[in-house]
Amino acid sequence: MQRPPPEDFSLKETRPHLGGGKVSGDKLTSTYDLVEQMQYLYVRVVKAKELPGKDMTGSCDPYVEVKLGNYKGTTRHFEKKSNPEWNQVFAFSKDRIQASFLEATVKDKDVVKDDLIGRVVFDLNEVPKRVPPDSPLAPQWYRLEDRKGDKVKGELMLAVWFGTQADEAFPEAWHSDAATVSGTDALANIRSKVYLSPKLWYLRVNVIEAQDLIPSDKQRYPEVYVKAIVGNQALRTRVSQSRTLNPMWNEDLMFVAAEPFEEPLILSVEDRVAPNKDEVLGRCAIPLQYLDRRFDHKPVNSRWYNLEKHIMVDGEKKETKFASRIHMRICLEGGYHVLDESTHYSSDLRPTAKQLWKPNIGVLELGILNATGLMPMKTKDGRGTTDAYCVAKYGQKWIRTRTIIDSFTPRWNEQYTWEVFDPCTVVTVGVFDNCHLHGGEKNGGAKDSRIGKVRIRLSTLETDRVYTHSYPLLVLHPNGVKKMGEIHLAVRFTCSSLLNMMYMYSLPLLPKMHYIHPLTVSQLDNLRHQATQIVSMRLTRAEPPLRKEVVEYMLDVGSHMWSMRRSKANFFRIMGVLSGLIAVGKWFEQICNWKNPITTVLIHLLFIILVLYPELILPTIFLYLFLIGVWYYRWRPRHPPHMDTRLSHADSAHPDELDEEFDTFPTSRPSDIVRMRYDRLRSIAGRIQTVVGDLATQGERLQSLLSWRDPRATALFVLFCLIAAVILYVTPFQVVALCIGIYVLRHPRFRYKLPSVPLNFFRRLPARTDCML
């Protein structure tokens, strides 16, 4: 039995105060019932009018400063405008409010010192409370006052109210928590956002043939192939076997394309005139948006495309159109699911074409509450700090929470919802440190650091139950596994139809095109790599960007690379699966050796009953499995699965193995270390080679029973088969089964320690090892 994981790395069930409770008759919003309520003071600064001029020219450059105690937020300023419009929202956390008055001051931007135009003061005890789904509070005009409280020229339109994070103004508001962050780009980088992955298609290019090619050297047989390029992806056919001017290929090339289609498909027919020299015989560019879209296995119509060629005339490129053309069948495949994440952690299995989607079976709700015990990820002003945010991915929808500045115990309390189309999918939540707030763009392109991630498989959750747990954030470093903190999540999977969900378990995991026209393993690996690159590139171009390092960590890019630790973990996983069979084998051996005579006698009786009444065999097996399942129901898992350091062999990995796992590809380590690792791999491969060789030997011995490779052995076996056929024909099957069973279960007094006759015979059979060099 495995030891339990260390307390530090375990999952902890929690009981947070979700939804905030019904306090003083407030209406609770059902959209935010999986997080703790956070109270905020909201100030919406809309516009001002009739502001007096303050400088020499009689104009003003106004902006508004919203001040609450030590917290101060400012709007952008306008040049020479007396009726400016800002429409900006400020949010002050109620937990940190120490003042009793809110002050909104209109100022004139000046080089030396900003001049006061006027201000409006609010008593916080008079501020109204708003709870969605109430309509937004209408802003009002307020007459400006000077510092003495006298009315001055100019008016300011404001709305001030108390609300929660469920307020529509929350995502776009300036937060007092982020008061140290300045600059429009930095502020955009800390706000919560929802992103959508681009719609991905498989592009199938079936290159059939070309006609009337014109090579420059007409004296030789051309070695022609076709090269196809889409964006950063380039593939080529093999060299045509028919070395003529009308070559044939009939070969498929597969690409990944994303909407909107920005890059055309560029095809070039090339002739290999020398080992490192290729001549372009013609090319064509095909826009992807006009291609046929295929939703099933029916072939699309093929087309002939004209090839164009450029020649140099007086140092200039001139296009010559000639009779060469290429025959192809090109289509966008809508019946496949484009795999952009590891198949083990897929969050979406739907085909590309929306017409083929089945109705959703439920809703996934995720409440990202808080994190505790985060490690300092960077140094600022001589002390450790962390600016943490979360990213969650399920299906095509990515969410990013706001960044909590300089906190090791950030509280997000943000809730998100996804439609669920398949219960056998995984939601991934990652925590990152934002390195782009304090000039991070300038200091050598800093990357957002990973703090850890959590995966939750929906099929392991009970429907309509709220799971509130604190998950350990574990990250593998070159010096070992490290706990970076804990993240507190609330998860609920709501099923709209239990019957539909049960029916899903009978359907194929992937769309039917994956089984009717399957792609090869190497094709899938290459296409997955291209898909992750496209998704990463598109999300990086969003505003604010979801950065490449974040997307790749969430999609587990690089998880296919060699790792001694992961190989050991997988080996012991296989042993864990086989341990049940090994335990049954040991138990049966004890039965045969009469270790417990009462159990052995009962097994004898059961065996005799099953032989005499064979119709009871299958019902007995299924009844036994049913009883085991009912028995284990008492100990069913009550918590979602989480990262297991023991299962991953992360806590016992040797430092050199971890260093090898974190090595680049190709390697960047010194030659002596690479040589040592190569020798280690050779020794492991040698053991695997021996095991595979032994398996091949046993298989060849089975084949040699009837191959007459050993004429005496085959003659003995054939004679035995004849005698066995006659005996089994004249003897009832139940008698034969009874005799074999009693022989196998015989008492140790009638056993010998030497191997049995059939085993001796089998081990003497020849194998093809004699023919091996």
Side-chain angles (χ1 to χ4, degrees):
M1 189 175 170
Q2 278 196 335
R3 289 176 294 167
E7 182 62 29
D8 249 353
F9 295 166
S10 62
L11 187 73
K12 301 182 184 76
E13 190 167 8
T14 59
R15 298 192 181 280
H17 191 52
L18 299 182
K22 297 201 174 188
V23 185
S24 65
D26 288 339
K27 284 183 286 182
L28 270 179
T29 167
S30 60
T31 55
Y32 266 67
D33 61 343
L34 286 188
V35 291
E36 297 174 312
Q37 276 198 6
M38 298 174 74
Q39 298 292 330
Y40 287 90
L41 172 66
Y42 289 99
V43 182
R44 181 184 290 279
V45 180
V46 184
K47 55 186 175 180
K49 67 180 181 181
E50 299 172 4
L51 297 179
K54 285 288 180 181
D55 55 18
M56 302 288 289
T57 60
S59 61
C60 65
D61 306 329
Y63 70 93
V64 178
E65 181 183 276
V66 182
K67 191 175 180 185
L68 182 66
N70 294 327
Y71 294 105
K72 183 169 66 177
T74 56
T75 66
R76 61 192 180 279
H77 82 277
F78 288 98
E79 298 281 343
K80 297 181 171 50
K81 200 166 187 180
S82 57
N83 298 307
E85 285 193 27
W86 294 283
N87 202 25
Q88 284 182 246
V89 182
F90 299 84
F92 298 89
S93 176
K94 193 175 179 183
D95 295 344
R96 301 188 181 184
I97 293 178
Q98 294 176 338
S100 53
F101 291 94
L102 170 75
E103 188 179 324
T105 309
V106 184
K107 292 187 175 183
D108 175 35
K109 188 85 172 170
D110 208 347
V111 179
V112 183
K113 186 185 178 187
D114 297 347
D115 298 321
L116 173 73
I117 296 175
R119 64 176 188 166
V120 180
V121 179
F122 295 88
D123 185 345
L124 296 190
N125 294 320
E126 304 297 324
V127 171
K129 199 168 196 176
R130 183 207 166 217
V131 180
D134 288 354
S135 297
L137 198 69
Q140 299 178 36
W141 284 106
Y142 294 91
R143 186 78 180 269
L144 296 177
E145 301 174 352
D146 59 16
R147 294 197 188 279
K148 297 175 184 175
D150 299 329
K151 301 293 182 186
V152 296
K153 188 183 177 185
E155 292 182 68
L156 181 63
M157 183 182 270
L158 290 172
V160 183
W161 72 96
F162 278 112
T164 68
Q165 75 270 36
D167 204 292
E168 296 91 338
F170 180 80
E172 295 300 324
W174 172 95
H175 287 269
S176 57
D177 301 343
T180 57
V181 177
S182 58
T184 310
D185 291 344
L187 281 170
N189 263 316
I190 66 171
R191 288 186 174 139
S192 55
K193 284 289 173 189
V194 174
Y195 303 84
L196 288 176
S197 290
K199 188 175 183 179
L200 300 176
W201 295 78
Y202 282 147
L203 170 65
R204 188 187 294 272
V205 182
N206 177 223
V207 184
I208 303 170
E209 59 181 327
Q211 274 187 359
D212 304 327
L213 298 179
I214 305 176
S216 57
D217 183 1
K218 296 182 174 58
Q219 304 303 318
R220 54 178 284 278
Y221 292 110
E223 297 182 24
V224 185
Y225 64 89
V226 176
K227 185 161 78 174
I229 299 172
V230 179
N232 296 326
Q233 308 166 69
L235 293 174
R236 50 188 281 179
T237 65
R238 64 187 185 278
V239 173
S240 174
Q241 298 297 312
S242 52
R243 297 193 172 187
T244 66
L245 300 180
N246 302 312
M248 295 190 70
W249 295 277
N250 199 21
E251 193 172 334
D252 274 357
L253 303 176
M254 295 290 290
F255 298 90
V256 179
E259 290 188 13
F261 301 118
E262 297 171 347
E263 305 279 351
L265 167 65
I266 298 170
L267 287 139
S268 60
V269 181
E270 302 187 13
D271 179 16
R272 182 170 294 161
V273 293
N276 291 316
K277 188 181 177 186
D278 299 319
E279 179 197 357
V280 177
L281 302 181
R283 58 161 55 94
C284 65
I286 303 166
L288 301 185
Q289 55 265 39
Y290 305 122
L291 295 176
D292 291 329
R293 301 185 180 197
R294 184 168 83 155
F295 304 135
D296 52 25
H297 59 281
K298 293 174 186 171
V300 296
N301 295 327
S302 60
R303 280 185 59 190
W304 286 94
Y305 295 88
N306 290 329
L307 292 170
E308 299 167 0
K309 188 174 182 180
H310 299 285
I311 58 169
M312 298 296 289
V313 178
D314 300 330
E316 291 184 9
K317 270 190 180 179
K318 289 209 173 177
E319 195 174 280
T320 62
K321 294 191 177 178
F322 58 103
S324 291
R325 56 187 192 154
I326 187 167
H327 189 199
M328 292 185 295
R329 186 179 282 113
I330 308 175
C331 66
L332 291 162
E333 296 279 12
Y336 290 89
H337 168 67
V338 180
L339 294 160
D340 61 343
E341 50 197 342
S342 171
T343 45
H344 302 298
Y345 321 124
S346 286
S347 62
D348 187 17
L349 301 165
R350 291 171 294 169
T352 299
K354 208 167 185 178
Q355 302 93 304
L356 303 178
W357 290 5
K358 292 182 171 56
N360 69 353
I361 58 160
V363 171
L364 168 68
E365 294 165 281
L366 174 70
I368 302 173
L369 284 82
N370 55 60
T372 55
L374 296 186
M375 306 288 285
M377 300 300 295
K378 56 180 178 280
T379 306
K380 185 191 171 193
D381 300 331
R383 63 183 184 86
T385 181
T386 298
D387 306 320
Y389 67 93
C390 289
V391 174
K393 184 207 185 288
Y394 184 78
Q396 294 179 338
K397 179 177 168 183
W398 300 66
I399 66 92
R400 168 180 170 153
T401 67
R402 69 191 190 285
T403 300
I404 306 296
I405 308 296
D406 192 14
S407 175
F408 300 134
T409 56
R411 293 175 66 221
W412 293 285
N413 284 305
E414 296 183 27
Q415 185 169 335
Y416 298 93
T417 306
W418 288 267
E419 284 186 312
V420 176
F421 293 86
D422 194 310
C424 303
T425 45
V426 175
V427 59
T428 305
V429 183
V431 187
F432 300 88
D433 175 49
N434 198 330
C435 295
H436 295 84
L437 303 181
H438 312 288
E441 301 286 357
K442 298 166 190 172
N443 53 15
K447 291 186 176 181
D448 288 356
S449 309
R450 54 184 72 166
I451 297 176
K453 70 180 165 190
V454 173
R455 297 191 201 98
I456 303 171
R457 185 170 290 275
L458 269 59
S459 58
T460 63
L461 304 178
E462 296 173 18
T463 52
D464 299 316
R465 177 186 161 189
V466 177
Y467 289 83
T468 51
H469 290 86
S470 195
Y471 296 81
L473 293 169
L474 306 174
V475 174
L476 198 64
H477 291 282
N479 54 356
V481 68
K482 193 173 183 182
K483 182 179 176 182
M484 308 297 287
E486 294 183 1
I487 183 169
H488 194 188
L489 302 176
V491 184
R492 178 170 56 209
F493 173 36
T494 310
C495 171
S496 52
S497 167
L498 186 63
L499 202 62
N500 283 350
M501 188 165 74
M502 293 302 189
Y503 174 62
M504 288 297 298
Y505 282 86
S506 68
L507 298 178
L509 201 61
L510 292 167
K512 64 181 182 181
M513 280 295 285
H514 284 269
Y515 306 98
I516 296 170
H517 283 298
L519 302 170
T520 64
V521 174
S522 59
Q523 269 183 324
L524 282 173
D525 281 344
N526 182 50
L527 292 170
R528 183 185 290 114
H529 173 71
Q530 297 300 341
T532 54
Q533 293 299 309
I534 290 171
V535 170
S536 169
M537 186 180 68
R538 289 287 177 94
L539 293 177
T540 303
R541 285 162 52 186
E543 192 56 50
L546 198 59
R547 301 185 184 280
K548 187 172 187 276
E549 62 272 17
V550 173
V551 176
E552 290 187 347
Y553 183 57
M554 295 292 287
L555 294 179
D556 278 291
V557 172
S559 61
H560 63 283
M561 298 297 286
W562 161 257
S563 160
M564 179 72 82
R565 172 192 63 82
R566 208 178 282 121
S567 302
K568 281 183 184 175
N570 288 336
F571 172 76
F572 283 105
R573 282 173 63 202
I574 291 172
M575 294 308 294
V577 170
L578 297 177
S579 62
L581 294 174
I582 294 166
V584 169
K586 288 180 179 176
W587 172 78
F588 187 71
E589 189 182 354
Q590 289 177 351
I591 297 294
C592 294
N593 290 326
W594 292 68
K595 294 282 185 190
N596 189 334
I598 296 171
T599 308
T600 305
V601 169
L602 289 173
I603 293 296
H604 273 81
L605 289 173
L606 178 65
F607 174 71
I608 292 166
I609 291 167
L610 292 177
V611 168
L612 296 177
Y613 303 99
E615 65 274 10
L616 294 177
I617 293 173
L618 286 177
T620 303
I621 291 170
F622 285 110
L623 181 64
Y624 182 61
L625 293 174
F626 167 77
L627 292 172
I628 290 174
V630 171
W631 179 257
Y632 281 157
Y633 181 76
R634 296 166 60 194
W635 296 285
R636 67 192 184 280
R638 302 295 295 168
H639 311 303
H642 67 289
M643 302 287 186
D644 189 335
T645 53
R646 292 202 188 284
L647 180 71
S648 313
H649 276 248
D651 54 352
S652 58
H654 191 274
D656 182 65
E657 293 172 5
L658 292 174
D659 183 65
E660 181 182 24
E661 188 170 335
F662 282 90
D663 191 7
T664 55
F665 188 86
T667 183
S668 56
R669 298 294 184 265
S671 57
D672 54 334
I673 292 176
V674 175
R675 188 181 296 111
M676 180 270 288
R677 288 173 183 168
Y678 175 62
D679 290 340
R680 182 172 64 198
L681 265 180
R682 284 175 67 192
S683 69
I684 294 168
R687 288 178 223 162
I688 295 170
Q689 174 184 287
T690 304
V691 171
V692 172
D694 288 344
L695 288 172
T697 298
Q698 307 309 323
E700 286 166 357
R701 282 175 177 163
L702 273 173
Q703 289 177 338
S704 66
L705 281 170
L706 295 169
S707 69
W708 295 92
R709 170 58 59 187
D710 182 341
R712 284 166 295 279
T714 303
L716 281 169
F717 181 69
V718 168
L719 187 63
F720 167 76
C721 290
L722 178 64
I723 296 167
V726 172
I727 292 172
L728 291 173
Y729 180 74
V730 299
T731 312
F733 176 75
Q734 287 168 314
V735 174
V736 174
L738 204 61
C739 292
I740 292 171
I742 290 171
Y743 173 77
V744 170
L745 295 170
R746 67 193 184 279
H747 195 274
R749 188 177 298 171
F750 304 107
R751 292 179 184 276
Y752 301 99
K753 290 190 176 180
L754 295 175
S756 62
V757 171
L759 194 59
N760 291 334
F761 177 77
F762 182 76
R763 284 176 177 168
R764 288 176 175 276
L765 290 170
R768 303 190 67 187
T769 45
D770 311 332
C771 307
M772 292 279 289
L773 283 172

